[in-house]
Amino acid sequence: MTKSRTWMTVAGALLLGLGLAGVLTVYLPDIEYGIGTLVERDPLPALAVETSAASAPGAITHAGTRVRLPRVGIDVSVGGGTARVREEVLLVGAWWHAGTPEPGRGSGNTVLAGHRVRRLFAKLAHVRPGDEVVVDWNARRYRYRVERVFTVAPEDTSILDQNGEERLTLYTCLPRAFGNKRRVVVATPVR
């Protein structure tokens, strides 16, 4: 092999590697992981809120209770209850944080979490301000508009804060390749 062919082969392999890295950067948030360090061991550790059994007895699911983000194709059921039953609820849908208000109460921050690796909230990475969020809850429909999309560290529980204003907060994990962070979407009611 000539010297120029060797360099062309090396350059081609390098370009192929850079192209693959670029593709992974774009699609990595949508890939479901199950190997090595990319496994989400406990994707929502710091943001679990425990309430008394009287206020949230076990897993709560309501028929027809869903959250949808039509532009990105998210459409999942919503369940709730104590942090003790969180994983059971997260296997099949989004988890309504115990201790946060129900939608449509006129005030407060409704917080819903969903797994990325179960592909439920994987597409939160593609949500942007202005997107519509539709929540069907107890036979009523609530519409929200996304105001902010940002990331937080897993120990940052400020996304659970209640400041009196009605809003909806959705969150999920980012792939470990992007750091141990949470993608957060905050939406406000459409009046």
Side-chain angles (χ1 to χ4, degrees):
M1 198 184 279
T2 67
K3 202 175 202 180
S4 64
R5 277 191 160 172
T6 302
W7 280 110
M8 285 179 26
T9 303
V10 169
L14 187 63
L15 286 173
L16 181 63
L18 287 172
L20 181 59
V23 167
L24 285 177
T25 300
V26 171
Y27 292 104
L28 202 56
D30 293 336
I31 297 172
E32 189 168 344
Y33 294 100
I35 58 171
T37 60
L38 298 176
V39 174
E40 290 181 316
R41 287 165 279 187
D42 188 4
L44 313 167
L47 299 181
V49 175
E50 191 70 56
T51 61
S52 70
S55 64
I60 302 166
T61 54
H62 304 285
T65 302
R66 305 192 70 75
V67 61
R68 292 182 288 120
L69 287 93
R71 190 186 68 76
V72 296
I74 293 175
D75 184 356
V76 299
S77 63
V78 178
T82 64
R84 184 175 41 81
V85 298
R86 174 184 66 182
E87 288 305 315
E88 176 185 326
V89 172
L90 284 168
L91 288 175
V92 295
W95 181 61
W96 168 42
H97 266 271
T100 68
E102 294 183 32
R105 295 287 182 194
S107 66
N109 179 20
T110 303
V111 181
L112 304 177
H115 276 309
R116 177 189 54 80
V117 295
R118 299 230 183 270
R119 314 252 340 128
L120 299 169
F121 271 9
K123 292 183 179 179
L124 277 187
H126 303 291
V127 172
R128 58 184 180 231
D131 284 353
E132 178 185 38
V133 182
V134 179
V135 177
D136 293 322
W137 195 279
N138 291 335
R140 299 217 40 204
R141 178 161 286 170
Y142 302 96
R143 295 187 184 280
Y144 296 86
R145 186 81 45 217
V146 173
E147 297 292 327
R148 290 181 56 209
V149 179
F150 57 99
T151 59
V152 297
E155 60 276 355
D156 183 352
T157 59
S158 66
I159 65 171
L160 298 171
D161 289 349
Q162 302 294 318
N163 68 358
E165 295 176 16
E166 183 178 357
R167 68 185 185 278
L168 174 68
T169 301
L170 311 172
Y171 74 94
T172 193
C173 292
L174 289 175
R176 296 244 185 249
F178 292 115
N180 188 21
K181 298 196 183 272
R182 308 294 179 256
R183 167 83 60 205
V184 181
V185 171
V186 176
T188 56
V190 174
R191 304 272 183 221

